[in-house]
Amino acid sequence: MGWNLKKGKTAIIVGAQWGDEGKGKIVDVLSENFSIVARYAGGHNAGHTVIINNKKFILQLVPCGVLRSGCRSVIGNGVVLDPMAFLKEVAALRDAGVKVDGTISVSNRAHVILPYHRMIELAAENAPGRVKIGTTSRGIGPAYEDKMGRRGLRVADLLDLKLLKTHIENACREKNMIAHALFNSEPLDADKMYHEYADAAEKISPFVCDTAVLLNQALVNGESIVFEGAQGTMLDIDHGTYPFVTSSSATSGGAVTGTGVAPTAIDLVIGVTKAYCTRVGGGPFPSEVEGPNGDLLRARGNEYGAVTGRPRRCGWLDLPLLRYAGMINGISWLVVTKLDVLDELPEIPVCVGYKIDGKRMGTIPAQDSGYRKIECIYKNWPGWRTSTLGITSMDKLPKPAREYLAFVERESGARIGMVSTGPGREQTIFVDEFLIWLNGAAGKGRQAKARVQ
Ligand code: IMP
């Protein structure tokens, strides 16, 4: 295989806010034109809701491409895999009649989440004096800590039962001591854990391979790949609102390290933003709006976490944040989701700039304390007060909605390629130029079916 003989097209889909931008639906729609969808970061903390023929699917680990026949799914090395959660999701998909065998591949280099990761996370989150992040309690952070600390267990090691036994015995001894000393937690039983995970290893084994080789070979063969980001830019471990972030590289750079496909093989980055903004968990959120407008966005947008069911904090679109996401990820196409949620508002405020201590800020503060001092400068847009639900072409949108989108496009520095006007696959507007690229992206053996509306 010549690694530099790539023929297939590639695109990274990245969240431009704090996650929950609606990437699931977008990846699902785009998967029609791609051969493979590859997840590159996070774990079962993510929750992608996809509605197909009025049937709701919540995917946590398995990439959204699994719901599209003929599209293969890859869980890359940058993901932290909870074997039990993976097997549960696979079983639910099988029960729903979705083809999983032979279509899902799991990286042998992905790290494994074990019960002690959850135990330590739960205890630490509730310990006095700790900054409460408001995590999803899935053991994500502690699993990445072990990865970076070079004491993690990888999927390849999970399949090696002798190694698994030694690893679990040693890790349990150490984690039980730490958890008891720091948090007075009950110890976990290493022997029981080994038997449960040895059983899971056998079930997972048919899915496991070297996914970096699989992906690079696919590109050489002319197949196209879409890289599916989890969470969003502002939850990225390096570029987000640290420490109120997740523990992985949620930005586009993570797609490279998290799959083993080189930066030179990436054609473009598609950023997904809601027409407003939400965040779940703790941490700064400059354009947050409480009271009746916040409640209206939450109710109309059904803003409750797909994984934890927690109500999401809601606010107005934040353009400085969107520009920052554009810069960090290299976004060239923007997808705006949930436009219809704004339909009833007489006026739509948009944050166009930040002030700190009365001074306009051109950059995003690095420190949490700086973030919390931000005052948003708002511009009010006239609302359209008519339904945009399910509209499929730009020229059918009410004029103020088109103007709102044109303003977002100008200010964000990226072209709008798609607008989502409802949860269903068909409730989507495609912009002609984006569609031309998309049709050109269709890999060998795949038919581009998206139409210019
Ligand atoms: P963790 O990823 O469970 O460690 O949680 C860290 C932070 O990221 C918390 O504020 C979570 O609410 C947030 N978070 C993690 N995954 C998602 C997601 O898929 N959508 C939105 N927020 C998330």
Side-chain angles (χ1 to χ4, degrees), residues 268-445:
L268 56 82
V269 180
I270 302 169
V272 185
T273 175
K274 275 180 190 160
Y276 50 99
C277 202
T278 61
R279 140 158 240 179
V280 59
F285 181 0
S287 65
E288 182 168 16
V289 45
E290 287 171 79
N293 276 335
D295 294 343
L296 183 127
L297 292 174
R298 189 172 306 105
R300 283 190 57 87
N302 190 23
E303 297 296 356
Y304 295 89
V307 173
T308 57
R310 289 181 290 178
R312 293 181 187 140
R313 298 156 65 192
C314 296
W316 307 119
L317 187 64
D318 182 335
L319 291 173
L321 186 145
L322 198 54
R323 285 192 284 269
Y324 176 72
M327 175 183 83
I328 295 293
N329 295 295
I331 295 172
S332 46
W333 288 101
L334 200 61
V335 175
V336 179
T337 60
K338 294 191 147 183
L339 183 72
D340 55 296
V341 171
L342 303 179
D343 284 353
E344 280 179 9
L345 290 161
E347 226 172 29
I348 304 164
V350 184
C351 170
V352 293
Y354 289 162
K355 261 195 211 167
I356 292 185
D357 297 330
K359 273 205 224 120
R360 253 193 112 118
M361 296 279 301
T363 52
I364 302 273
Q367 278 179 297
D368 182 44
S369 56
Y371 234 100
R372 288 182 192 270
K373 285 205 260 172
I374 289 176
E375 271 176 75
C376 284
I377 305 165
Y378 286 105
K379 184 173 170 66
N380 283 338
W381 277 89
W384 39 93
R385 304 198 86 174
T386 172
S387 175
T388 59
L389 183 71
I391 287 183
T392 55
S393 78
M394 257 327 173
D395 52 16
K396 297 254 162 54
L397 284 178
K399 193 160 170 258
R402 285 203 307 272
E403 285 169 353
Y404 181 73
L405 292 173
F407 175 68
V408 172
E409 183 171 81
R410 264 195 320 277
E411 292 287 315
S412 69
R415 291 287 317 277
I416 292 182
M418 281 165 79
V419 180
S420 170
T421 55
R425 273 178 178 168
E426 60 301 334
Q427 296 170 310
T428 310
I429 299 172
F430 288 94
V431 169
D432 295 0
E433 255 182 77
F434 180 69
L435 206 52
I436 291 167
W437 180 81
L438 196 58
N439 282 329
K444 190 173 145 192

Side-chain angles (χ1 to χ4, degrees), residues 38-40 74-80 105-107 109-110 211 215 258-259:
R39 260 287 295 272
Y40 60 84
V74 167
I75 296 181
N77 57 277
V79 170
V80 280
S105 304
V106 174
S107 169
R109 291 182 173 83
T211 51
L215 293 169
T259 61

Side-chain angles (χ1 to χ4, degrees), residues 123-141:
E125 271 279 278
N126 296 317
R130 289 274 186 128
V131 177
K132 197 170 167 58
I133 307 293
T135 71
T136 57
S137 316
R138 299 292 194 266
I140 306 290

Side-chain angles (χ1 to χ4, degrees), residues 18-20 45-47 121 133-137 140-141 231 235 245-246 280-282 310:
W18 276 283
D20 307 320
N45 51 347
E121 175 168 29
I133 307 293
T135 71
T136 57
S137 316
I140 306 290
Q231 290 83 43
L235 288 176
V245 290
T246 190
V280 59
R310 289 181 290 178

Side-chain angles (χ1 to χ4, degrees), residues 180-233:
H180 179 72
L182 293 183
F183 313 117
N184 206 18
S185 307
E186 288 295 317
L188 295 173
D189 181 338
D191 196 45
K192 185 166 167 271
M193 195 184 300
Y194 165 70
H195 285 104
E196 283 170 8
Y197 282 77
D199 185 43
E202 198 187 320
K203 296 188 179 122
I204 283 182
S205 151
F207 295 96
V208 179
C209 70
D210 186 331
T211 51
V213 171
L214 183 158
L215 293 169
N216 283 289
Q217 184 68 62
L219 287 176
V220 170
N221 293 345
E223 294 186 83
S224 53
I225 304 173
V226 61
F227 297 91
E228 173 183 329
Q231 290 83 43
T233 303

